[in-house]
Amino acid sequence: MKAVIQTPEAYDDHVIRLFLLAAAVWGIVGMSIGVLAATQLAWPALNFEVPWLTFSRIRANHTFGVIFAFGGSALMGSCYYVVQRTGHTRLALGKLALFTFWGWQLACVLAMATMPFGITQSKEYAEPEWFVDLLVAVVWVSFGTVFFATLARRRIRHIYVANWYYGAFIIAVGLLHIVNNLALPVSLTKSYPVYSGVVDAMVQWWYGHNAVAFFLTAGFLGMMYYFVPRQAQQPLWSYRFSIVNFWALISIYMWAGSHHLMYTALPDWVQSVGMAFSLVLLMPSLGSAANGLLTFNGAWDKLRTDPAVKFMVLALVFYAASTFEGSMLAIKSANSLSHYTDWTVAHVHSGAIGWVAMITIGSLYAMAPRALDRPAMHSKPAMELHFWLHTAGLLLYVASMWASGITAGLMWRATNPDGSLTYSFLASLIAIKPYYWIRAFGGLLILSGMVVMAWNLWHTAAMARAKLIKPILVPLPEHIPDPVEGQVPAPLPART
Amino acid sequence: MRYKHFEAIEKRAGLLGVLTAVMVSLGGLAEITPLLIRAHSVTPPANVQPYDALRLAGKDVYVREGCYLCHSQMIRVLRFETQRYGEHSTADESIYDRPFQWGSKRTGPDLARIGGKYSDQWQRLHLLDPRSLVPESNMPAYPWLEKRQVDGLDVQARMRTLRRLGDPYTDEEIAVAPEAVAGKTEMDALVAYLQGLGLRSTASAEIAALQDDGADSETSGGAGTGAAP
C-alpha cells in the first residue's frame, strides 16, 4: 500500500450537494406532472377546464422538468464531482460554480412557472421564451468556463474519458441552444423564431435530436464512464475503445436529426442522409454500451449486493436497446408506421426512464454517500425498493406504449379490398385507450420510486444538514512515467 | 493506431475543446445551410400569403395552447395518409409559419387540410366541449378562448415583428389590423385560423374559391397586395 500524500486543498462538494438536492426535488416535480399528463390522456376530465392545468400546456412542463431541471441538475452536479476527482483538483472558480447552480435553478423555476400560462415559444423541447433562453445561455457559458478552467488546473496529465463526454456535452448543447432559439421578441412574453417553415423544422429537429445526443447521451455517458468503473471497482473494459466511440458518436450524431421528418416536405436528400447516418450511429452507441457492460466482467456478483450496480447495468441494457430501436425507427419504411404514434413515445421513454434516469439514479447512489460524508446510503432496502418500483414502472410504460403505437400505426394504414380505409381515426383512439391507463400506472410506480429515493437521500444527508461534514482533501497524484511507445496507460485506479 | 495520436489531444484541454466543436458542427452545417440558401432564393407562390390579422391572432392562440403537441399539420406522401386527410403537404404552405406547426405526434387527427371541412359553429362547440360532439374524444376543452378578446395593438406589433423577419406585410395591412380584430374573441381568431388551413396550396386554390362564400370570418387583407415581393 502506498501512502497517499494529501494537499491542503479540499474538494468543493458544497455545490454538488446542492445539485443533488435539486435533482431529487425536480425529479419528483417533473414526474408528477408526467403522471398527471398521462392520466389526462386517459381521462380528459382531469384537465379541469383550467388553462394552466390543461394537457397541451403542462406537457412542456413535464418534458422540461424531467430533462432540463432533473437531468440538468444531476448532470451539472455529477460533472463537477467527476472533473474534480479525475483531475485531483479543487473546482476552479468556486463562486461562478455557485452561480451556475442558482442561475440554473432560477431558469428552471422561470420556465416551469411561465409555460403553463401560455408564455412559450412552442418549439418542442425548447419551449421557454426568449428571456429564459438568455439566462440559460449565460448559465451555460459559465458552466463551460468552470468546467474547462478546472480541467486546466488538473494535476493528472491525461484528461480522463468521462471529461471528454462532459466537454462535448457542454460545447454542443451551448451551440444547439443558441442556434435553435434565435428569435425576434415582440414583447416580453412573445417572440418569433428567425426561421420559418421547412428551415424551422430542420433546425428544430437538428436541435431536438441532438439534445438527445448531447444532453441525454453524451452527458450521461460521461457519468457512466466515471461511475461504472468506480462502482464495479475495476478499470474500464477498454480505454482505447471508448475514445474511438467518442469521436464516432459526436461526429455522426449531428447528422441524424432529419430522421424525425421522413416523408414530409423536407427535401428527400436530407431525409436519406439522416437515415444513413442514423444506421451508422448504431456502432458507437452499441460500442459505448458494450464498453460499460464489459467493465462489469469479473464483478457481476455486485448485482446481488449493490443496488446502484443494478441500476447501472439495466441502464446500459436499455441504452443499447433504445439506440438500436432508434436506428431501426430511422429506416424509412419502419418510420412510416411508427411516426406520429405512441411508438415514438415508447422509444423516448425507454431511453429516458431506462437509460437516462437509471444511470442517473445509479450514479446518485454512488456519489451521494461520498459527497455527504457517509459510508453508504441511509437505507439499502429502500434502494432495492426503488429499483423494483422503477423497473416495473418502466416495463409497464414502455410495453403499453409499444402496443399502443403499433396498434394505431397498423389501424391507420389498414385498407379494405376495395382500397378504402378500414378504420376511422376515432376507432384507433378507442382501441388504444386501455394502454393509456397502463402507462399512467407505470408512471405512478416510477414516481413513487423517486419519492423513496428522496427520502433516502434526506436521511443520508443528516451530517450535511447538521453542518458536521468533513471536507475531503485532494490527494496528490502518483508520478506516472511517460508511456512507452504503443503502450496504453492504465486508467485511473479505482479509489476505495 | 498509435497511442500517441490520441495522446496529443488527451493532454490538451483547449485542443480537445476545439476539435469537439469542429466535429459537432459538420452535420448541422451540411444539412441546414443548403436549406437556408434555398429558402432565400425561393419566392412563395402568389396564392400563399402571410396570415391576415385575425388568422395570425388565431395561429398564435394555436401555438400558445400547444395544439401542435397532439395535432400534426403535415400530411406525409403515403397513400393511406392522403386518402385519410387529403393532398400531401408541400413546403411552401408553411413558409409563413413561425414556428413551424408540422408536429410530431397524432393523439388527435392531422389538421393540415381541416379548413372548411366543418362549419364555424361545429369548431366552436368542439373547442368548448369536445365530448358533446365526439363522446370518445380525449381532447381538453378550451372554454376560456371565448372569454378573451384579441388585442389589436398586440397583433399590430406582431405583424411589424414578422415584417422585420421578412414577411411581406404592407403598411396598409398593418394599419388596419386593430380594426380587423376589433371585438373578436380568441375563439373567433382560432376558428378563422383553422378554417383557413389547407386552402392555400396551389391545387386546392379552386376549392378555396368554391368555399369562399361560407367563410364569414375571413378578412381577405387586400387580395394581391400581399403577394411575393
Side-chain angles (χ1 to χ4, degrees), chain A residues 202 206 254-255 269-270 273 277, chain B residues 25-35:
Chain A
M202 183 61 228
W206 167 80
M254 284 293 212
W255 293 76
W269 70 268
V270 192
V273 168
F277 275 90
Chain B
S25 304
L26 295 178
L29 285 173
E31 290 181 351
I32 297 169
T33 327
L35 292 182

Side-chain angles (χ1 to χ4, degrees), chain A residues 26 105-116 128 131-132 135:
Chain A
W26 284 121
Q105 300 314 314
L106 177 65
C108 291
V109 169
L110 277 177
M112 296 291 275
T114 51
M115 291 185 298
F131 56 94
V132 183
L135 177 60

Side-chain angles (χ1 to χ4, degrees), chain A residues 350-387:
Chain A
S350 94
I353 308 172
W355 156 240
V356 171
M358 287 189 120
I359 196 73
T360 307
I361 295 164
S363 302
L364 287 189
Y365 282 143
M367 176 170 76
R370 291 174 182 91
L372 294 168
D373 195 17
R374 300 286 293 189
M377 287 296 294
H378 171 70
S379 163
K380 203 167 122 182
M383 289 164 77
E384 290 283 352
L385 176 65
H386 185 187
F387 177 79

Side-chain angles (χ1 to χ4, degrees), chain A residues 116-129:
Chain A
F117 296 96
I119 301 169
T120 164
Q121 308 191 93
S122 290
K123 283 170 79 95
E124 221 173 337
Y125 310 116
E127 288 90 353
E129 265 295 355

Side-chain angles (χ1 to χ4, degrees), chain A residues 221 224-225 237 241 245 249 279-294 316-325 327-328:
Chain A
L221 277 174
M224 186 284 275
Y225 273 113
W237 180 68
F241 192 42
N245 285 326
L249 191 87
L279 288 171
V280 181
L281 193 53
L282 256 182
M283 287 189 285
S285 301
L286 293 182
S288 302
N291 208 352
L293 281 174
L294 290 168
L316 285 162
V317 169
F318 266 88
Y319 177 51
S322 66
T323 47
F324 178 76
E325 185 185 28
S327 293
M328 293 305 113

Side-chain angles (χ1 to χ4, degrees), chain A residues 49-120:
Chain A
E49 305 202 358
V50 174
W52 51 272
L53 275 177
T54 299
F55 174 84
S56 58
R57 295 225 192 150
I58 64 162
R59 194 275 205 174
N61 275 56
H62 164 57
T63 50
F64 187 94
V66 174
I67 299 173
F68 297 105
F70 164 68
S73 296
L75 278 169
M76 291 167 86
S78 71
C79 174
Y80 287 155
Y81 183 91
V82 170
V83 74
Q84 294 185 79
R85 264 65 180 184
T86 55
H88 284 206
T89 180
R90 186 182 169 84
L91 210 56
L93 310 169
K95 286 203 175 118
L96 193 63
L98 210 56
F99 163 74
T100 61
F101 172 78
W102 290 111
W104 188 253
Q105 300 314 314
L106 177 65
C108 291
V109 169
L110 277 177
M112 296 291 275
T114 51
M115 291 185 298
F117 296 96
I119 301 169
T120 164

